Amino acid sequence: MIRAAKDYAADLKLVENAKSNLQSVKDILEAVPQIGVEFEDPTVSLEKKHLVIDRVFPKEIRNFLKVLCDNGDFGLLDEIEQAYMELTKTPEKVEAQAELTYVTPPTTEQMERIRLFLAKECNNPDIKIVGKEDASIKSGFIIRVGNKEYDWSEQGRIDQLQKHINQSLSGKKLATVSEESIISILRADIADFELAAKDKEIGVVNWVGDGIANVDGIDHAFYGEIVLFDCGVKGMVQDVRRDEIGVILFGRDTEIKEGSRVVRTGKMAGIPVGDAFLGRIVDALGAPIDGQGDIAQDGYRPIENPAPSIVDRKSVSVPMETGILSIDSMFPIGRGQRELIIGDRQTGKTSIAMDTILNQKGKDVVCVYVAIGQKASTIAKLVNTLKKNDALDYTIVVAATASDPAPLQYIAPYAGTALAEYFMYQGKDVLIVYDDLSKHAVAYRAISLLLERSPGREAYPGDVFYLHSRLLERSSRVTAEAGGGSITALPIIETQAGDVSAYIPTNVISITDGQIYLESELFFAGQRPAVNVGLSVSRVGGAAQTKAMKKASGSIRIDLAQFREMEVFTQFSSDLDAATKEQLQYGNSLMEMLKQPLYRPLSQSEQVVSLCCATHKVMMDIEKSKIKQFQMDLLEHFNTRQTAIMETIERDKVLTDELTQQILDAANAFKASYKAS
């Protein structure tokens, strides 16, 4: 085992009377040099060395000498002594100069008290004090020495009191608290308030650019801590090194330059949360960007939060209906599940997520849409769609646009999840959409390369897997003791030319509970949503599917897979037998039935009716181009004329043979009148 001299010196500090005992060892070795020679000789047995140590050297230091012999490091004794002296020497006097900021120069008595304070804090009775006048502090003094700041100013007292009051009122819903209660809270807090004249650790910027700043002088910052620059821009500690820290900036770096001051806040990066965020559009820091004024907050949550433990989780058993027939029938999603939506650009990934949000209307589900690196015009279009369909009232949009710095794009999904967790731990069901995590990974890659971290596969850093795993693991369904809510995640990943084996897609596929794969060929052929039946899967959705849906869907997935395979084999054949023609016709009718207009989600009863009619081949003899219109007219007929059937399905969520027959009889009667007209 190889250990540095300073490590041994640290162990030596634990030895009683180490200094005098070490001197005794050196005196003995000087008097009898042969002992030192034998101790350094590897051919001499350890038993012999230990025997000599026990007979010759002081009792307090024997074990330490034995460790040196056992490790073959006895020759380092001189270096250990030097390291020990360095370690135990009296601290050096620090900082020969301090800066004193004031409005009115201090009196002689005040100056003497300041000198005594600095002499004690800096271990330097001769420290030089340089005065500086600044009217902005109102009254009092601010002392800056090295990377520390002591704030005794009036403005500093006001800021501390304000912070104290905010902490006291955080988590209290002021709308439900009376004016008298608030006043009593404030009175108690002001009475108990004591000014904390603690030092602030201050650093200076030594390099800045591309949303990254390297800071010297801050030695005790922790990962994820918020720091404040003198221009008002906030940043988050992302890299902790031996002699500096790397900070990602949550704003423009135009006002930050080399030499700018940076102050620790001691707070983890977080976001304000509250019920008032529903219906609002905010940035990655929780600030409103919809022009509707400030948002009342009920608390503050860190953006990075541990995922629920195993004992706090419940199994997925309640469906999260998307309203999309092809998904709910074949790849159902349950509350607390993480279902990946993956495909090339412009294949309808966002449309599936939006339809799912629209389908939650009236179901007491909170929706969070996180836009990462999207065009501002695209986000505006989505917001208008939500407004038009009355879905914005139960939705929060967290937007980090393409023009925002990479750090804001990086924290956006974590901020969105913090908002979702606020509702989950209140017992509510939440649907969160990450659109998309490919751009999130790119933003993190940019940050990591600027921080000079080693690149790995496709230039992504080695911890990119952990980046998404710690995000998606926070989505779950928790027990009643833990809050009783759930977060269902729909992460979106964009592929290049259908390559699902790329680095980011494979990583996220392994983390999620299934994926909905959208195929470009199907999309361009007019099949929308363009869900590939073969590559799509839901690993836990079957447990969350209602009995009615499970029975109605039957073997539709197998039938479609067989149809697609047969279609490939028969596309060059002109002579087909009757059975093959029938199967192809049936497959075509299923594909047409699964087509769905944009922003037209189907209720569970509408889906069950559609599936019943399709699997019992009610639509087979209808012309292919008219199947979709027939289906929509049929559903309209059931919603207006067969309300008893629809209500039974929605209420019981069970499809009996009797109910199936009623659906088929009504459908066939409608088809007869439909053909006649």
Side-chain angles (χ1 to χ4, degrees):
M1 181 175 69
I2 300 174
R3 292 182 62 183
K6 61 182 180 182
D7 292 333
Y8 284 119
D11 294 343
L12 190 59
K13 279 185 72 179
L14 304 174
V15 176
E16 189 178 347
N17 300 321
K19 192 173 180 180
S20 61
N21 284 318
L22 188 62
Q23 189 57 50
S24 300
V25 170
K26 296 212 65 174
D27 291 343
I28 292 168
L29 292 175
E30 191 176 343
V32 191
Q34 186 61 31
I35 294 177
V37 173
E38 288 192 2
F39 280 177
E40 293 181 42
D41 188 353
T43 61
V44 178
S45 67
L46 290 175
E47 289 81 2
K48 186 177 178 182
K49 293 176 183 178
H50 288 187
L51 186 64
V52 172
I53 290 169
D54 288 335
R55 288 182 178 179
V56 175
F57 295 101
K59 183 170 65 175
E60 293 88 352
I61 204 168
R62 287 174 188 171
N63 288 334
F64 178 75
L65 295 175
K66 289 176 182 178
V67 171
L68 289 182
C69 291
D70 293 348
N71 294 339
D73 290 335
F74 197 85
L76 296 175
L77 194 63
D78 290 336
E79 294 177 38
I80 294 169
E81 183 185 21
Q82 189 177 351
Y84 176 76
M85 299 306 289
E86 285 286 328
L87 200 62
T88 56
K89 70 179 180 181
T90 306
E92 295 180 1
K93 296 177 181 179
V94 295
E95 297 298 333
Q97 182 171 300
E99 182 186 89
L100 175 64
T101 305
Y102 52 79
V103 177
T104 307
T107 63
T108 307
E109 186 185 350
Q110 286 174 329
M111 186 60 99
E112 188 58 31
R113 289 174 65 184
I114 290 169
R115 286 189 188 279
L116 288 171
F117 172 78
L118 289 174
K120 184 181 177 182
E121 288 293 315
C122 303
N123 192 37
N124 187 355
D126 304 320
I127 194 165
K128 183 183 176 184
I129 301 174
V130 178
K132 177 186 173 186
E133 196 171 319
D134 186 356
S136 67
I137 68 172
K138 299 182 180 180
S139 68
F141 309 105
I142 297 176
I143 301 173
R144 296 186 182 96
V145 52
N147 64 347
K148 293 184 177 180
E149 182 180 89
Y150 303 87
D151 193 346
W152 291 309
S153 67
E154 183 183 338
Q155 187 61 50
R157 293 166 187 254
I158 293 169
D159 291 343
Q160 285 189 41
L161 180 59
Q162 181 66 53
K163 184 180 177 183
H164 186 72
I165 291 171
N166 289 341
Q167 286 175 347
S168 299
L169 295 178
S170 67
K172 297 179 173 70
K173 295 185 179 179
L174 299 186
T176 61
V177 180
S178 66
E179 188 177 331
E180 291 79 10
S181 299
I182 293 173
I183 291 170
S184 67
I185 291 168
L186 294 180
R187 268 194 197 130
D189 280 325
I190 292 168
D192 296 338
F193 173 69
E194 293 181 7
L195 178 68
K198 297 178 181 177
D199 62 300
K200 296 179 186 174
E201 199 168 0
I202 297 175
V204 292
V205 175
N206 64 32
W207 181 88
V208 63
D210 297 314
I212 303 290
N214 289 337
V215 179
D216 283 334
I218 295 181
D219 302 322
H220 303 98
F222 52 86
Y223 179 86
E225 183 181 354
I226 292 293
V227 294
L228 188 63
F229 293 80
D230 53 7
C231 62
V233 173
K234 292 179 180 177
M236 183 172 77
V237 178
Q238 191 70 17
D239 219 17
V240 181
R241 305 170 192 150
R242 186 184 293 273
D243 52 352
E244 65 179 9
I245 59 171
V247 177
I248 58 175
L249 305 177
F250 295 152
R252 305 294 173 188
D253 58 16
T254 50
E255 296 181 36
I256 301 172
K257 55 186 183 296
E258 193 174 329
S260 295
R261 291 171 69 249
V262 188
V263 182
R264 285 184 63 195
T265 64
K267 289 176 65 179
M268 286 287 290
I271 186 172
V273 294
D275 294 335
F277 278 81
L278 289 171
R280 301 297 299 271
I281 305 150
V282 299
D283 64 12
L285 300 174
I289 54 175
D290 52 6
Q292 296 182 26
D294 295 336
I295 305 173
Q297 63 184 70
D298 297 333
Y300 185 87
R301 288 191 67 86
I303 60 170
E304 295 269 13
N305 212 40
S309 66
I310 295 170
V311 295
D312 289 336
R313 294 174 183 259
K314 284 175 72 177
S315 60
V316 177
S317 59
V318 181
M320 174 65 75
E321 293 163 358
T322 66
I324 301 169
L325 184 57
S326 56
I327 295 174
D328 288 346
S329 60
M330 293 182 285
F331 321 105
I333 301 169
R335 298 191 179 187
Q337 190 176 343
R338 297 150 303 175
E339 185 79 1
L340 174 64
I341 303 172
I342 185 169
D344 286 4
R345 64 184 300 273
Q346 297 294 319
T347 52
K349 300 185 297 294
T350 302
S351 298
I352 286 178
M354 288 296 293
D355 274 346
T356 307
I357 292 174
L358 297 183
N359 194 51
Q360 305 316 311
K361 187 177 178 179
K363 296 181 180 178
D364 197 27
V365 175
V366 174
C367 298
V368 181
Y369 179 84
V370 184
I372 310 160
Q374 303 288 328
K375 292 181 291 186
S377 59
T378 304
I379 299 170
K381 187 179 175 183
L382 292 172
V383 170
N384 286 332
T385 302
L386 291 170
K387 284 181 180 175
K388 195 186 299 179
N389 293 276
D390 299 324
L392 193 59
D393 296 338
Y394 56 84
T395 304
I396 304 168
V397 179
V398 181
T401 64
S403 63
D404 286 332
L408 287 177
Q409 295 183 40
Y410 160 63
I411 69 161
Y414 298 101
T417 309
L419 279 165
E421 285 175 333
Y422 167 76
F423 292 101
M424 179 179 73
Y425 291 119
Q426 286 189 335
K428 294 187 177 181
D429 293 308
V430 186
L431 171 69
I432 187 166
V433 177
Y434 304 110
D435 193 7
D436 64 65
L437 292 187
S438 302
K439 292 185 177 68
H440 181 236
V442 168
Y444 186 63
R445 177 171 64 183
I447 291 170
S448 298
L449 292 173
L450 287 165
L451 289 169
E452 299 179 357
R453 293 175 180 169
S454 300
R457 180 178 164 189
E458 296 180 24
Y460 289 105
D463 63 340
V464 73
F465 178 86
Y466 180 55
L467 175 80
H468 289 147
S469 63
R470 74 175 189 263
L471 171 69
L472 293 170
E473 277 297 299
R474 291 162 71 179
S475 300
S476 64
R477 186 173 175 227
V478 296
T479 59
E481 293 78 15
S486 70
I487 297 177
T488 307
L490 293 181
I492 296 174
I493 289 286
E494 185 178 293
T495 56
Q496 305 293 327
D499 184 14
V500 293
S501 63
Y503 192 30
I504 301 303
T506 51
N507 277 352
V508 181
I509 285 172
S510 67
I511 301 164
T512 50
D513 306 313
Q515 67 275 347
I516 296 165
Y517 179 69
L518 303 180
E519 192 178 348
S520 301
E521 289 183 14
L522 283 173
F523 184 85
F524 297 134
Q527 187 67 36
R528 308 197 182 158
V531 179
N532 183 307
V533 178
L535 293 178
S536 302
V537 67
S538 175
R539 296 190 183 99
V540 296
Q545 205 173 20
T546 63
K547 291 180 179 179
M549 184 63 75
K550 195 175 288 185
K551 186 174 180 180
S553 57
S555 61
I556 187 172
R557 189 175 176 186
I558 298 167
D559 294 341
L560 281 171
Q562 289 175 345
F563 161 71
R564 290 202 67 183
E565 190 177 343
M566 188 171 288
E567 194 179 32
V568 172
F569 281 114
T570 59
Q571 60 184 334
F572 302 111
S573 178
S574 57
D575 189 19
L576 301 174
D577 59 87
T580 304
K581 285 180 180 177
E582 186 181 341
Q583 192 165 355
L584 287 172
Q585 191 178 353
Y586 174 55
N588 279 316
S589 70
L590 285 180
M591 294 293 283
E592 285 297 315
M593 188 263 301
L594 291 175
K595 289 180 182 179
Q596 199 162 329
L598 204 57
Y599 312 137
R600 174 59 172 93
L602 300 177
S603 66
Q604 183 179 206
S605 54
E606 289 176 331
Q607 291 181 354
V608 169
V609 168
S610 297
L611 289 166
C612 268
C613 295
T615 53
H616 287 83
K617 303 181 179 181
V618 173
M619 304 178 191
M620 266 189 64
D621 56 346
I622 295 176
E623 192 178 330
K624 184 179 175 181
S625 59
K626 296 180 180 178
I627 287 177
K628 180 52 57 183
Q629 186 59 49
F630 172 79
Q631 181 196 0
M632 302 314 290
D633 292 342
L634 177 67
L635 293 178
E636 180 67 24
H637 170 75
F638 269 82
N639 284 325
T640 54
R641 303 288 182 86
Q642 303 292 336
T643 54
I645 293 175
M646 306 300 269
E647 287 170 1
T648 303
I649 297 170
E650 292 287 350
R651 184 184 64 249
D652 299 339
K653 298 180 174 31
V654 175
L655 186 63
T656 60
D657 292 340
E658 184 184 349
L659 189 58
T660 304
Q661 194 57 50
Q662 288 177 19
I663 293 170
L664 294 176
D665 290 343
N668 284 317
F670 175 79
K671 185 172 76 170
S673 62
Y674 190 83
K675 282 185 172 181
S677 61

